[in-house]
Amino acid sequence: MRYEVFQNVCTKHQIEVLLIAHHADDQAELFILRLSRNSGVLGLAGMAFTSQMFSKSTHLYGEGSKNKGILIVRPLLDFSKEVMYKVCQESGQDWVEDPTNQSTVYARNRIRMSLGNLSSYTFQSEVQGVISACRRTRAYVDQICNNLINQAVTIIDHGYAIIDLEILNPSQSYRYMPVKVCCIDLAVCLSKEQAH
């Protein structure tokens, strides 16, 4: 719900980049939470430094508005909450604490309270090291997937795609499948054009 509010405000005011104050402690909490829920390596990579948020529905606030999405940037992921407190204190900057963070109703808060008791530098650096390794794995998987998509998928101007299944799975025999996919999509496309 919080991101939906952020998205509505950003869209209304044509804000394209949103900075979020997630920090290293948040990343460690998310890691433990996902680990407890049997997440795989990609999930254990945690929050990305940048991600894109797209609207579920298109709202136009003025002529020429396009739904390009909002770039979410998390520049503080490498900084601990303790360091951020010190920076604020030393510069005389006030901050706001979310009172719901103290509620033990939420699993994340229970994890946060438990991690507070294990706040040794060694433990924190080891957790961050595992998260970094998972993040590198996710980046590698993303790169492989992007390369595969670029090789196997052709986007056609009429709004459909041709997928070369042989590239996706070379061990299977798909001699006629790409032609059928292309013909079916072409027929659908032509029937839509004829309707106009």
Side-chain angles (χ1 to χ4, degrees), residues 47-67:
M47 294 174 275
F49 285 102
T50 61
S51 57
Q52 199 81 11
M53 177 171 53
F54 294 96
S55 178
K56 294 176 185 170
S57 60
T58 305
H59 296 288
L60 298 178
Y61 293 94
E63 291 184 20
S65 289
K66 293 181 180 175
N67 187 10

Side-chain angles (χ1 to χ4, degrees), residues 8-113:
N8 290 337
V9 170
C10 288
T11 302
K12 183 175 181 180
H13 297 286
Q14 298 180 5
I15 297 168
E16 296 179 3
V17 179
L18 176 64
L19 301 179
I20 302 288
H22 287 127
H23 46 74
D25 295 46
D26 293 322
Q27 192 78 298
E29 293 163 13
L30 182 61
F31 174 83
I32 300 295
L33 182 64
R34 289 184 175 174
L35 186 64
S36 73
R37 295 179 177 170
N38 297 318
S39 182
V41 172
L42 302 184
L44 294 176
M47 294 174 275
F49 285 102
T50 61
S51 57
Q52 199 81 11
M53 177 171 53
F54 294 96
S55 178
K56 294 176 185 170
S57 60
T58 305
H59 296 288
L60 298 178
Y61 293 94
E63 291 184 20
S65 289
K66 293 181 180 175
N67 187 10
K68 294 184 282 186
I70 298 158
L71 179 66
I72 297 174
V73 180
R74 297 177 180 89
L76 304 175
L77 282 179
D78 285 337
F79 298 95
S80 71
K81 190 172 187 177
E82 183 180 334
V83 167
M84 290 179 14
Y85 279 144
K86 285 180 184 176
V87 168
C88 289
Q89 290 166 346
E90 290 172 5
S91 63
Q93 180 67 47
D94 291 331
W95 65 87
V96 176
E97 294 279 344
D98 182 348
T100 63
N101 285 345
Q102 301 306 314
S103 171
T104 56
V105 171
Y106 305 106
R108 179 182 281 276
N109 293 346
R110 292 191 301 273
I111 291 168
R112 178 179 301 126
M113 292 171 192

Side-chain angles (χ1 to χ4, degrees), residues 156-177:
I156 305 301
D157 290 338
H158 296 291
Y160 66 96
I162 298 173
I163 303 171
D164 187 335
L165 299 176
E166 285 185 7
I167 291 174
L168 292 178
N169 190 356
S171 65
Q172 295 291 322
S173 176
Y174 295 107
R175 277 194 309 195
Y176 302 108
M177 185 62 93

